[in-house]
Amino acid sequence: MRPWVRALPVAGTIAAIGLAVAEWTVAPRGGGAVLGLALLGLFAPAGLLAGGVVAAALGGAARMLPELGPNLVALWRRTGAHPPDIEADRRAAGWVLGAAAALTLPGAAVAVVHLAVSQYFAVQAFAAMLLGLVAVVAGASAVAAAPALAFAAREAVRLFPPGWALRGALGLLGAGVAAAAALLVARVGLGARILAAPGEGLAFAALAGALAWALGRSRAQGGRAGTALLAAAAALALGAHVGAAYALPRAPGARLALTGGAPAGAKLLALTNRLYDRDGDGYASLWLGGDCGEGNPAVHPGASEVACNGVDENCMGGDLCKAEGAGRAGTAGPGTGTPSAGPGTGLGSAPAGPAPAVDARAGLPAGFPAHPNFLLVTIDTLRADHVGYAGYARPTTPRIDAFAASAARFMRAYAQAPNTPRSFPSFLCGRMPGGIAWQEGALNFPAVLPENQTVFEVLAAAGYYNTGAFQHYYFTRDRGFAKGFAAWDDEGALDLKDSNTDSPAPSVAAKVTRALESLRGRREPWVVWTHFFEPHGKYMDHDGSPSFGTSWLDKYDGEIAYADRYVGTVLDALEKSGLAGNTVVVLFSDHGEGFLEHGFSFHGQSLYEEVLRVPLLVRVPGLAARAVDEPVRLIDVAPTLLELASTPPLDRAQGRSLVPLLVGRPDAARTVPAEMLPAPAWPHAAKALIVGGWKVIHHVDEGAWELYDLGTDPGEKTNVFDARPAEAAKMRALMEDWLETGEPPLVP
C-alpha cells in the first residue's frame, strides 16, 4: 500500500479534531473543557474510522493509479487528434453521459419526492419507507433505461465539433456536479454554517492534507513516522472516547451545550447512544444517555415512576415514596412538597393558595354587560421583547402600541408551549399541553379529541355567536378546536409548504371587517377570533412596509410591522362598527422565536424566554389601562373570558382568571409551567417552571437541569443549578412533583 494511502486514517483523525474544535468554538452556551473532551471523543474515532475505510477502499485501486492516469491522458489526446476515431469518441461520450444520467435518476427522483411530498410527513418512518420505494423503482428504471440514455446522448453529442465529443461530455458532467453541489449547499445552508465557524474546519482539513502529503513523501513502506502517528491517532481517539463517556454524564452544562449548540456533535452523540443502549429503551448509561438501569428497559429517564417499590424508574435520584412522607427514598434533599421560602430566594415570597373570597366581577365598571362581546386577535411567533410598548427600539408595532395605551399590559405573560400546535389547544382548553387528549399526539400537528372542552364551546352554550376568520394551513376544522363556532372561514388557506411563504394578512383583515359588519344587527353577544401568521418564517418582503435590514432578525421585524398594519385595520373596523363600547379586545401571541440566543434559530426546540415570553393585552371597556408585572399564563386567558361573560368555568381548567389583575385587585401568585412535548420535528421532552424570579428547566431525555435567576440574568446566560444548591433543590422538588403527579404546581 502506498504511503499516502496509509496516511488517510491519520489525516481523517486530524480533520475530525478540527471539526470538533470548530463546534466547540461556536457552541453558544460554552460547556468548558468537558464539552471539548466530549466533541473530541465523538469526532476523533469517527475520523479515524472514516479514514481507515477510505484507505481500505483505495488500497486495491492504488496499484492501478499509475497506469490509469497515463491511460486517461492518452485517451484525451487520442480522441482529439485522430479524426478517424470520431464514432468511437461519440460512443464513449454517449456512454459517459448515459451512465451519468442513469446514476443521477434515482437520486433526483428521491430528492424531488422528498422536497415535494415526504418532508411534510408527520411520521418520519413513513417518509423513509416512501423514499426507499422511490429509490428502488427509480434505480431499476435507470438500469433498464441506461442503453436508451446512452444512445440518446450519443446522438446529442453530434452537436460537438469532431473529436470533442468525449471532452464535451466530461465538461458537462463536471459542470453538473458543480451545480448540484452548489444547489445542495444553498439548500441545507452549509455556507452559513461554515461562516458561523470561521474557517477552523477548513484550516484543519488543510493541515490533514499536508500531513498526508508529508507522509506520502516517505518511500519506506513501514516508516517509523507514519506508524508512530497512526498509533498516536488511534490512542487519542480511543482515550478521548472512553474519557468523555464517563465525564460527560457528570457535567450537565456540557451535556446541554452539546445537544443545543453542536449540530454535528449532537448527531454523532445520538448514534453513539444507540450503540451503547443495550436494553433498547432509547437511553444508554454512558455518554448522554442518563439510563440508571441499563439492562432493564423499564428504567430510563423517560419512564413513569412507581411509588414505594424500591426502584427509581425515571432515574431522578431514588424511589418516590410519598406515603412515607420522605420524598425520594435514599435522598437527603427535600421531598416533593412545595418548598418554603428562604431569604432572598424569591420562592414562595408571594401569598399562595386561592384568592380571597370576593365577588368575581368586583371592580368592573358600573353597567358592564353580563355578556360582553369578544374580539380575539392572535399573532403567530411574536416575541414579547420585539413590541414597542415593552421598550423595543424599532418601530415594529405602532398600531399595537396605540392599542396597548388603553389596555391592561401583562408584561410577563408566558405561553405553555413553544410551538403553535401545542400552544393554541392549551389556550383553548385552559390546560397544559400534556393534559389535553390528542388524536395521535406524536404527530407534528395533532388534532384534539372531542372530549376536550374548549372556551368557545362554553361561550356558545351561553348563547354566544362565534366567528373564526383565518387563512392558514393549521386552522382547518378537522383540528378539533372549531367546536362552538357558528362560522369558521379559512377560505384561501394553502398547504403547509405554501402557507410558509403566503402573506394572508390583507385577506384576513378583510374577512374580519366583513364579519364585524355582519354582526352589527345581531342581538346575541358574539366572539370573533382571528389570527395573523406573518411573523412566522419564512420571512417575505412587503411593499410599503418598513425595511430594517437583510438579516433574519431584520426581516422578522419587518414581518411584525406588516402584521401590525393589518391589526390596525381590524381595530379600525371595530371602531367603525360602533360595537367597541361593549367589546372586550384580547391580543396575544402563541409563542416567540429564537435567534441563536441559546443555539436555536427557530421555535419549538427549547423553553427559554425568547420562545415563551409573549405579548398579552386585554382591553375592557371602562377599565383604566395598567401595566401588570406579575407572571401570568396563556392558560389564564380562557377562564378570564368566561368570568367576564358570566358563564360556567371550563372542565378541568388549570388556568385562573385574570380579572382581579385587570381591575387592580390583589391576587394569589402564579407558578408558570411550560412544556415541550416530543414530536417528529423535534423528538425531545423538556419542562420548565417559573416561581417568582427563578426558572428551572428539566431536559427529560438527558436528565439535565438548568436554573436561572431571571432577576439578575433575564437572558438566561448563566446556569446556576450547581452554584445555588438551596434554590436548585426547591425548584427541583416542584418539578419532580409535576413529573410524578402529572399536574404542574400552579401556585408556589
Side-chain angles (χ1 to χ4, degrees):
M1 184 180 295
R2 291 181 174 271
W4 66 268
V5 176
R6 294 175 59 254
L8 286 176
V10 180
T13 304
I14 293 179
I17 293 173
L19 293 175
V21 171
E23 293 236 320
W24 183 63
T25 302
V26 302
R29 286 176 285 165
V34 177
L35 173 62
L37 175 63
L39 289 168
L40 187 64
L42 288 168
F43 278 87
L48 182 71
L49 178 62
V53 170
V54 174
L58 293 179
R63 297 181 180 179
M64 298 186 296
L65 290 179
E67 301 177 1
L68 181 60
N71 287 343
L72 288 175
V73 172
L75 178 62
W76 180 270
R77 291 174 177 173
R78 185 167 61 253
T79 55
H82 297 281
D85 293 336
I86 289 176
E87 287 303 318
D89 178 62
R90 288 173 175 164
R91 283 195 300 273
W95 277 108
V96 167
L97 292 178
L103 291 173
T104 303
L105 184 60
V110 168
V112 168
V113 172
H114 175 64
L115 294 177
V117 181
S118 67
Q119 68 171 324
Y120 305 109
F121 281 21
V123 181
Q124 292 180 333
F126 293 164
M129 292 170 60
L130 174 62
L131 294 180
L133 178 62
V134 170
V136 170
V137 173
S141 301
V143 172
L149 292 172
F151 176 79
R154 186 180 67 189
E155 296 303 310
V157 297
R158 294 184 182 277
L159 299 174
F160 289 107
W164 280 84
L166 182 57
R167 295 182 177 184
L170 294 174
L172 288 174
L173 185 60
V177 170
L183 180 62
L184 178 64
V185 168
R187 179 73 188 177
V188 303
L190 185 60
R193 183 63 192 166
I194 292 174
L195 292 176
E200 293 98 332
L202 296 177
F204 276 91
L207 178 61
L211 176 64
W213 177 83
L215 290 178
R217 298 282 294 174
S218 173
R219 295 182 180 276
Q221 294 294 317
R224 295 179 179 177
T227 302
L229 281 172
L230 183 58
L236 172 67
L238 180 61
H241 186 79
V242 173
Y246 288 94
L248 192 60
R250 294 164 176 79
R255 301 204 306 267
L256 295 173
L258 179 57
T259 55
K267 291 181 175 62
L268 282 176
L269 178 66
L271 174 61
T272 301
N273 275 321
R274 282 198 294 271
L275 294 176
Y276 281 100
D277 178 20
R278 299 195 310 273
D279 54 19
D281 59 9
Y283 299 86
S285 58
L286 297 177
W287 285 93
L288 198 56
D291 194 343
C292 61
E294 191 65 66
N296 184 353
V299 176
H300 56 79
S304 298
E305 183 76 7
V306 179
C308 298
N309 67 343
V311 179
D312 180 16
E313 282 90 356
N314 62 5
C315 300
M316 291 190 65
D319 179 31
L320 179 73
C321 199
K322 288 185 177 181
E324 298 176 4
R328 286 184 172 274
T331 63
T336 57
T338 301
S340 60
T345 65
L347 295 178
S349 56
V358 296
D359 180 3
R361 296 166 63 84
L364 291 174
F368 185 79
H371 304 293
N373 304 319
F374 294 103
L375 171 62
L376 276 71
V377 179
T378 56
I379 306 172
D380 215 296
T381 325
L382 179 57
R383 291 171 55 142
D385 58 354
H386 276 244
V387 296
Y389 73 83
Y392 195 50
R394 285 177 169 175
T396 52
T397 54
R399 295 305 309 271
I400 293 175
D401 298 340
F403 169 72
S406 62
R409 305 177 297 280
F410 292 90
M411 307 305 291
R412 292 188 65 192
Y414 287 88
Q416 274 53 73
N419 53 12
T420 297
R422 299 297 192 273
S423 182
F424 269 132
S426 176
F427 143 68
L428 289 165
C429 301
R431 293 187 59 78
M432 295 297 296
I436 292 173
W438 302 96
Q439 181 182 9
E440 298 186 78
L443 301 179
N444 286 328
F445 296 93
V448 297
L449 291 173
E451 53 260 40
N452 296 285
Q453 187 186 48
T454 72
V455 60
F456 298 113
E457 284 185 277
V458 178
L459 289 170
Y464 274 78
Y465 181 88
N466 300 332
T467 298
F470 315 99
Q471 187 172 313
H472 186 255
Y473 165 82
Y474 182 64
F475 289 91
T476 55
R477 278 189 173 272
D478 58 359
R479 299 290 176 202
F481 46 76
K483 297 181 299 178
F485 279 84
W488 186 274
D489 185 357
D490 195 34
E491 184 179 356
L494 305 176
D495 59 19
L496 174 60
K497 176 184 177 182
D498 294 332
S499 286
N500 287 328
T501 55
D502 192 17
S503 297
S507 176
V508 170
K511 290 181 179 183
V512 178
T513 300
R514 292 193 296 269
L516 291 173
E517 291 174 352
S518 69
L519 292 170
R520 293 176 65 178
R522 285 193 171 272
R523 300 181 61 182
E524 69 266 46
W526 51 261
V527 174
V528 173
W529 176 26
T530 189
H531 182 69
F532 290 96
F533 180 71
E534 273 71 11
H536 189 290
K538 303 178 178 179
Y539 305 132
M540 312 299 291
D541 295 323
H542 305 285
D543 294 337
S545 289
S547 176
F548 299 105
T550 59
S551 71
W552 287 352
L553 191 143
D554 294 334
K555 289 182 174 294
Y556 171 71
D557 283 346
E559 289 279 35
I560 294 174
Y562 184 72
D564 177 80
R565 183 203 309 179
Y566 291 99
V567 170
T569 300
V570 168
L571 296 174
D572 290 343
L574 177 64
E575 295 296 329
K576 293 176 182 177
S577 70
L579 301 170
N582 61 349
T583 299
V584 176
V585 181
V586 182
L587 183 149
F588 65 91
S589 179
D590 55 343
H591 57 79
E593 186 62 291
F595 290 95
L596 295 177
E597 293 89 347
H598 294 89
F600 302 102
S601 58
F602 198 61
H603 52 271
Q605 302 170 334
S606 73
L607 296 176
Y608 298 108
E609 295 289 284
E610 59 267 17
V611 293
L612 291 183
R613 282 273 303 274
V614 295
L616 173 58
L617 302 171
V618 181
R619 186 178 73 185
V620 177
L623 275 186
R626 67 179 69 246
V628 180
D629 294 324
E630 287 89 340
V632 298
R633 303 81 56 104
L634 290 189
I635 55 173
D636 297 331
V637 174
T640 304
L641 300 180
L642 297 183
E643 184 168 317
L644 290 172
S646 306
T647 68
L650 271 167
D651 290 341
R652 302 185 305 122
Q654 294 172 313
R656 194 169 81 228
S657 172
L658 300 172
V659 169
L661 298 177
L662 287 173
V663 301
R665 204 168 66 219
D667 194 28
R670 291 166 167 84
T671 294
V672 177
E675 60 186 338
M676 183 167 58
L677 302 181
W682 187 252
H684 302 284
K687 295 180 182 291
L689 274 176
I690 299 174
V691 181
W694 290 98
K695 179 177 180 180
V696 67
I697 302 175
H698 177 47
H699 300 262
V700 179
D701 296 339
E702 295 89 352
W705 296 83
E706 296 178 79
L707 180 68
Y708 298 101
D709 182 353
L710 297 179
T712 61
D713 182 21
E716 300 165 293
K717 300 300 182 184
T718 305
N719 178 9
V720 296
F721 191 85
D722 295 327
R724 302 293 295 269
E727 290 80 5
K730 295 171 183 177
M731 295 296 285
R732 175 167 175 161
L734 284 173
M735 179 65 73
E736 290 181 352
D737 192 55
W738 180 7
L739 291 167
E740 306 305 345
T741 65
E743 293 290 331
L746 299 175
V747 294

